[in-house]
Amino acid sequence: MSAALLIAAGLIVGPVAARAEATAREDQTIVVAPAGTKNADDKGPGSTGRPLATLEEAQRRARQAAAEGNRDVTVELLDGTYRLTAPLRFDAADSGRNGHTVTWKARRGAKPVLSGAKPVTGWVLDDAATGVYKAQVGTGFDSRQLYVDGVLAQRARTKLARDDITLNATGFTVNNPGLAYLATLPDQKRIDFQAMLSFTNRFAPVQSISRSTVVMQQPAWDNNTYGYDTIQSPFRTPTFFLLNSRKFLDEPGEWYLDTSAGTLYYKPLAGQDLSRARVELPRLESLLQVGGTYDEPARNLRFEGLTFTGTTWLHPSTADGYANQQTGTFISGVQPHRPADAFTSCAVGCKGFEGARNGWAQAPAAVQVSAAENVSFAGDTFVNLGSVGLGIGNDANAHASAVGLGAHKVTVTGSTFTASAGGGIVVGGVRPDAHHPSNPRMVNSDIKISDNRVYATALEYLDQDAIFASYVTRLTIEHNYVSDMPYTGIGVGFGWGANDPGGSPEYLNRGLYDFQPIYDTPTTSSDVRVVGNHVRNVIQTMNDAGCIYTLSAMPRSTIDENYCENSGQLGLYFDEGSRYLSANRNVFVNTAGQWAHANNQNGNHTGNLTLTGNFATNPAITGIVNGQRGNVTRDNTAITSGNLPIAASEVIHKAGPTGQYRGPADPQRPPVGAYLVAEPVSLNAGGTSTVTATVANIGNSPASDLRARITVPERWQAVPIGEPLKPDLPAGASATVSWKITAPGSVTTPVARAPVTMSLTFQAGRTQYALKRSLTLTALNPLTSLKGYGSVPSRFAEAGSAYAILTSGTDIWQDGGGSYDEYGAIYQDDAAGTTATVTARVTEMDNTNSWAKAGVVIRNDLTAAASSPGYAVMVVTPGNGVAFQWDSNGNGYLDSFGTASGIKAPAWVRLVRSGNEVSGYYSTNGTDWIKVGPTATLPGIAGTQDAGLIATSHAAGVTGQFSFSDFTVST
């Protein structure tokens, strides 16, 4: 019996009856078309055949229908561009009631565009010599952005060499006579100075230019020369530009807007025809503002299949500039605690600067959501925007409604963010109410960002992340694709640990707590999940960043099963105060720096980090030591990109958008994984090894037509053994196939390397895949003339006067971070007397770590690792020059050193003993020797010692090959 019949029969009464009666009513659909559409009329029914003519009328009718509280309301937008003259504003009156939803969506098959820009047409050639065109666009507005055929065009600019100018407290002096023309430029107050630094990207407008003196507008200049990574004291070599003058327009793709004359100038790219090009000049700074008040929030709203485009952001053009601090935050206004000599005294921080932190502003987004609940975005596109694409629960200063924070149950799914001046998504605020709210309704909570694509954005505000979230309770960032970003891919957390319970010793020393309390309660940041994301090609311009970056404590938070590839710096970056996070089963391929790094310096409380089961091609990890600071690091595996373990391949395949949002098959992330294992990896000349490939179907559908073949170098042999690979492999199944590999009977070098490659082809669905997996076998000539010893598993070889050590090892060093004596050595017993010289040439070494070491050694007993005194080495490293290291207290560990930078293998090294004193030397030619460090006294040194060659990979579990020649011991 239907609900209506049950009500009529009197079997349902009271509130349940009211709800059932309400649901019995049909949902309402309102159809709207762009201006000028045939049959569109605001007085019509708002149907497919007779749509409404304006979004304003559609909103009025949707409000009216939603107010009845008895139906879902859908506003369908027909195909075309809706050019807004003011942002759309949604508040409590626009909300769905009684569990119903108000949806604004694209009509099936339509691609509606909400634009804050106006098209530019009527181009004429302005200057044939330079190829610059112009068009009339009217006056009374300004813009910092122009989009041509969907590409953010570059404002006209000229680059300044560092020695072209001398910076000072009010601006700079021009040193280069070739820039004398700057003083003649019109509209000088519209000229911007840009400084691309380490982690900040700053803008400040010019006040005036007189002769060689450039005075900058205030407080922009004061604020940009205040704090850290400042214009006058950057953390890396800066890049400076002047922008926004017609005189600077000299490169294809550049533009300039003369606001007084209403003329837009543009120099087309090669092959670009302005009579056909789509040129969009933004007029609005935001497009959609969703939010009510804490008492009456906006609720139950959904936006689906819409494109948001065509905005600018003008604040950086004001006297405030863009005094960027990090990730879209900036100093705004005159700073009351800034000392008069701040240009020098606060160039790298000062107490007064700490007083500015709680007033930092945030860049506003084109689409803004605050004081809102149950709001969702699905399948939308955010493109060609002047700042951040979507801002959720930011501080009040970043919301046009003037009500910030208070975002609850907001979801962003299957949407695209690209080709904009700013980052993709920013969640949360940075001011005190964001982390310790004065009203509990300010808390941002239950935010989910999933299955989105954020790529090639933050093109002007290079400091901004693809996805950034500051203080959020229950935040999920999962299965997004992030690519081609200047800075961090995904950033979570804020505050540098200073707002966590008990504060931070570092910020106590800096004086922050003279301006704010030391909190005794946690921030609102907790239960953060960063899971299954595919992050690639990030940190392409800026510095001090990671694929995934964290700040401050986040209890019960996880970073799991993400795939990071081609990071320009770090994989995981746990910056100041990061605590209570775990990172499990992530894969890092080709990170330029460490796969994981924690900033635990200067009294930061960074710690309580658990890193397990991760895979990385760069095995380096710094600042996170197992058992220290509450950290756990175990079962993390160093890998090669050419031979990925099955578990790593599964993470890679499943990372990124899922289901309907996954996109076409990606040949770089196939649904079948393969992994090669050799037993043994190192064999004697003429010996054999068994190479086995494990093939696993990690996808959701069967794989068919599997074929595997193996290739080996000339003189090596490969013969299949055991069962061949079956052609079909069901989802979730695995199989193995093996070959016997035989090395040549003799080799001419101590070690002969043989790349062994398996090619696997198969079909899954309608896609044909081909993947390769490779490993390297080594054939060793036996060591016969000297002895070999390893405190970790090691192998040794020689041929003529050449030697090789294959070994791993955490390090040969003792300090506060631990005590390690893990090495392989080739040596002579009792070869070095009280007067001895030990020499060798390090010919080649694997770059297993920048601090891997290979060189010469003396020691009382080289087989007594971690105990024998009289220990000294002179070694070459891949990235830190040469080092003379010795045991200064006789406890069996190297603990003192001297270095010389810029030296790499091949290089000669030498130890010279005289009595109980030892000195280290290096040479680049074997003739001219340079001493490194002091002459060292070795306590406990014996009358005769072992002397030899030593190596450590400085990467636990990672074996490297270290090659030597011309080893001698003379007395």
Side-chain angles (χ1 to χ4, degrees):
M1 185 178 291
S2 70
L5 291 175
L6 289 170
I7 294 168
L11 299 178
I12 300 180
V13 297
V16 175
R19 175 67 179 135
E21 185 174 20
T23 57
R25 299 200 54 180
E26 291 186 3
D27 297 339
Q28 181 167 345
T29 298
I30 301 164
V31 182
V32 63
T37 300
K38 185 178 180 180
N39 297 328
D41 186 353
D42 277 352
K43 296 181 179 180
S47 61
T48 303
R50 294 185 60 196
L52 300 180
T54 66
L55 295 173
E56 291 78 9
E57 177 61 17
Q59 184 179 19
R60 188 191 69 79
R61 293 195 188 188
R63 280 183 168 184
Q64 188 176 46
E68 297 178 17
N70 55 12
R71 70 187 80 179
D72 289 339
V73 179
T74 300
V75 178
E76 291 189 343
L77 281 68
L78 298 182
D79 203 35
T81 299
Y82 298 75
R83 296 199 180 272
L84 307 183
T85 57
L88 295 173
R89 178 84 179 93
F90 288 75
D91 57 23
D94 297 279
S95 300
R97 273 79 157 182
N98 300 325
H100 291 287
T101 302
V102 176
T103 301
W104 288 67
K105 64 181 292 187
R107 179 80 168 179
R108 182 184 295 271
K111 297 180 179 179
V113 176
L114 303 182
S115 176
K118 288 188 176 182
V120 180
T121 57
W123 291 96
V124 297
L125 184 63
D126 178 64
D127 187 339
T130 61
V132 173
Y133 286 72
K134 67 180 179 180
Q136 296 304 309
V137 295
T139 60
F141 74 98
D142 200 355
S143 179
R144 291 176 65 88
Q145 280 76 36
L146 178 74
Y147 308 102
V148 183
D149 290 331
V151 175
L152 176 63
Q154 173 62 55
R155 284 194 300 159
R157 67 180 182 179
T158 187
K159 190 173 183 179
L160 298 176
R162 184 64 184 86
D163 57 2
D164 282 344
I165 60 175
T166 299
L167 300 166
N168 57 54
T170 59
F172 55 88
T173 300
V174 177
N175 304 323
N176 183 350
L179 297 173
Y181 73 90
L182 294 176
T184 69
L185 296 178
D187 294 324
Q188 292 178 356
K189 290 185 178 181
R190 298 189 67 242
I191 297 173
D192 269 353
F193 177 86
Q194 180 185 8
M196 293 169 52
L197 309 178
S198 176
F199 59 86
T200 64
N201 179 48
R202 300 169 177 270
F203 293 89
V206 170
Q207 176 67 35
S208 64
I209 307 174
S210 177
R211 296 185 179 179
S212 62
T213 300
V214 180
V215 177
M216 305 300 292
Q217 292 186 42
Q218 299 291 7
W221 191 251
D222 279 353
N223 291 341
N224 273 302
T225 56
Y226 191 37
Y228 296 90
D229 198 32
T230 54
I231 289 175
Q232 76 276 32
S233 189
F235 288 177
R236 68 170 180 174
T237 302
T239 301
F240 295 152
F241 294 98
L242 287 176
L243 306 94
N244 206 38
S245 173
R246 172 69 176 82
K247 181 70 172 178
F248 305 153
L249 207 170
D250 56 3
E251 293 289 336
E254 289 187 339
W255 65 280
Y256 172 72
L257 175 62
D258 184 336
T259 55
S260 298
T263 304
L264 176 66
Y265 297 91
Y266 177 71
K267 183 170 183 174
L269 297 169
Q272 200 167 53
D273 182 353
L274 289 181
S275 67
R276 298 180 179 180
R278 180 170 55 88
V279 182
E280 299 281 332
L281 183 61
R283 305 294 181 95
L284 299 183
E285 295 188 78
S286 66
L287 301 171
L288 177 62
Q289 302 161 4
V290 179
T293 66
Y294 303 134
D295 291 329
E296 293 185 300
R299 287 192 173 97
N300 304 331
L301 289 163
R302 179 177 175 86
F303 303 90
E304 182 178 345
L306 309 178
T307 292
F308 300 97
T309 188
T311 63
T312 187
W313 180 40
L314 297 177
H315 187 91
S317 294
T318 70
D320 233 14
Y322 183 60
N324 174 223
Q325 299 305 300
Q326 185 171 325
T327 324
T329 60
F330 59 96
I331 302 178
S332 179
V334 175
Q335 300 304 300
H337 306 293
R338 188 180 194 274
D341 63 349
F343 185 81
T344 53
S345 67
C346 298
V348 189
C350 65
K351 180 178 177 180
F353 173 75
E354 299 305 314
R357 286 184 186 270
N358 287 320
W360 290 359
Q362 289 181 285
V367 177
Q368 305 170 5
V369 181
S370 63
E373 182 176 317
N374 288 321
V375 177
S376 61
F377 296 85
D380 298 309
T381 299
F382 299 74
V383 61
N384 291 169
L385 301 167
S387 181
V388 176
L390 175 60
I392 302 170
N394 305 146
D395 290 323
N397 64 82
H399 288 278
S401 67
V403 180
L405 310 172
H408 311 292
K409 298 181 180 178
V410 178
T411 62
V412 186
T413 307
S415 296
T416 297
F417 300 78
T418 190
S420 293
I425 304 170
V426 173
V427 184
V430 299
R431 291 184 175 180
D433 272 332
H435 52 79
H436 285 88
S438 56
N439 182 333
R441 293 175 295 183
M442 293 177 169
V443 176
N444 291 310
S445 64
D446 300 290
I447 311 296
K448 185 175 182 180
I449 300 169
S450 62
D451 296 303
N452 302 288
R453 296 179 183 275
V454 188
Y455 63 95
T457 196
L459 302 177
E460 183 169 346
Y461 303 108
L462 306 169
D463 58 287
Q464 298 183 11
D465 299 350
I467 301 172
F468 169 67
S470 57
Y471 298 101
V472 185
T473 302
R474 294 181 300 278
L475 165 71
T476 297
I477 302 173
E478 66 179 5
H479 288 288
N480 300 282
Y481 172 78
V482 171
S483 180
D484 298 288
M485 295 297 299
Y487 194 47
T488 284
I490 298 173
V492 288
F494 205 73
W496 294 270
N499 301 314
D500 293 328
S504 163
E506 166 69 4
Y507 289 87
L508 179 65
N509 293 335
R510 292 190 188 187
L512 174 64
Y513 301 113
D514 288 352
F515 307 99
Q516 73 168 64
I518 296 178
Y519 295 100
D520 56 9
T521 57
T523 71
T524 57
S525 182
S526 70
D527 303 280
V528 174
R529 297 179 66 252
V530 181
V531 178
N533 300 283
H534 182 190
V535 183
R536 63 189 297 271
N537 299 342
V538 295
I539 325 175
Q540 294 186 314
T541 308
M542 306 299 283
N543 193 47
D544 198 29
C547 273
I548 300 173
Y549 173 95
T550 71
L551 273 173
S552 302
M554 283 175 246
R556 302 174 301 280
S557 294
T558 58
I559 302 172
D560 292 346
E561 298 181 349
N562 301 282
Y563 174 36
C564 162
E565 59 172 330
N566 302 330
S567 167
Q569 194 179 13
L570 301 171
L572 294 178
Y573 187 176
F574 300 101
D575 207 351
E576 297 179 54
S578 294
R579 301 180 74 185
Y580 313 122
L581 292 118
S582 66
N584 310 292
R585 302 180 305 282
N586 300 283
V587 179
F588 303 90
V589 174
N590 297 333
T591 60
Q594 305 94 305
W595 75 266
H597 169 72
N599 181 354
N600 58 14
Q601 301 175 358
N602 303 323
N604 295 317
H605 286 316
T606 309
N608 301 101
L609 305 171
T610 299
L611 279 61
T612 61
N614 299 285
F615 302 90
T617 56
N618 183 337
I621 176 173
T622 51
I624 311 168
V625 178
N626 190 53
Q628 295 184 10
R629 291 175 168 256
N631 296 323
V632 176
T633 60
R634 66 169 185 267
D635 303 326
N636 300 300
T637 304
I639 61 174
T640 65
S641 58
N643 192 25
L644 297 169
I646 300 297
S649 294
E650 185 173 13
V651 170
I652 291 171
H653 174 67
K654 293 181 177 179
T658 60
Q660 63 178 310
Y661 303 113
R662 182 171 175 87
D666 183 352
Q668 302 303 314
R669 299 187 298 134
V672 170
Y675 183 59
L676 296 183
V677 174
E679 182 56 44
V681 174
S682 296
L683 53 151
N684 293 327
T688 63
S689 175
T690 298
V691 173
T692 300
T694 299
V695 180
N697 188 336
I698 53 181
N700 298 319
S701 60
S704 61
D705 197 24
L706 274 82
R707 299 180 183 181
R709 64 185 184 90
I710 202 160
T711 57
V712 295
E714 187 178 356
R715 297 182 64 221
W716 291 68
Q717 295 181 347
V719 178
I721 57 176
E723 293 292 325
L725 187 65
K726 294 181 179 179
D728 298 314
L729 194 63
S734 63
T736 60
V737 59
S738 298
W739 297 265
K740 183 174 77 172
I741 311 297
T742 303
S746 63
V747 293
T748 59
T749 57
V751 177
R753 293 189 173 190
V756 177
T757 301
M758 182 200 69
S759 300
L760 177 70
T761 59
F762 64 94
Q763 184 166 328
R766 297 181 178 180
T767 303
Q768 188 74 28
Y769 293 90
L771 63 86
K772 291 185 177 181
R773 293 291 184 260
S774 61
L775 54 72
T776 299
L777 297 179
T778 53
L780 282 68
N781 272 339
L783 178 68
T784 58
S785 65
L786 299 171
K787 293 184 176 180
Y789 166 78
S791 63
V792 290
S794 306
R795 298 200 70 190
F796 313 99
E798 70 174 295
S801 63
Y803 301 89
I805 300 173
L806 282 70
T807 192
S808 59
T810 302
D811 201 359
I812 46 175
W813 185 249
Q814 181 182 58
D815 61 12
S819 300
Y820 305 102
D821 199 26
E822 300 179 355
Y823 60 87
I826 293 174
Y827 68 100
Q828 283 182 278
D829 275 327
D830 300 328
T834 55
T835 300
T837 299
V838 183
T839 304
R841 185 173 187 241
V842 180
T843 57
E844 190 176 1
M845 57 191 305
D846 287 342
N847 187 5
T848 52
N849 184 279
S850 63
W851 271 110
K853 301 180 177 92
V856 291
V857 58
I858 59 172
R859 192 173 196 172
N860 291 1
D861 183 356
L862 269 168
T863 66
S867 62
S868 175
Y871 188 11
V873 302
M874 183 66 208
V875 293
V876 184
T877 74
N880 292 286
V882 292
F884 171 46
Q885 298 180 319
W886 68 93
D887 176 5
S888 66
N889 56 16
N891 70 344
Y893 289 97
L894 302 174
D895 54 20
S896 301
F897 74 99
T899 62
S901 61
I903 308 300
K904 293 184 177 181
W908 298 76
V909 286
R910 172 174 285 176
L911 289 172
V912 176
R913 177 184 175 183
S914 177
N916 63 352
E917 293 183 334
V918 178
S919 300
Y921 299 83
Y922 78 91
S923 173
T924 57
N925 57 18
T927 302
D928 302 308
W929 292 91
I930 300 172
K931 186 178 180 182
V932 178
T935 296
T937 299
L938 301 186
I941 189 170
T944 57
Q945 295 182 284
D946 297 345
L949 309 170
I950 191 168
T952 180
S953 70
H954 203 284
V958 179
T959 297
Q961 179 178 324
F962 306 90
S963 301
F964 310 81
S965 68
D966 303 286
F967 169 62
T968 61
V969 182
S970 59
T971 57

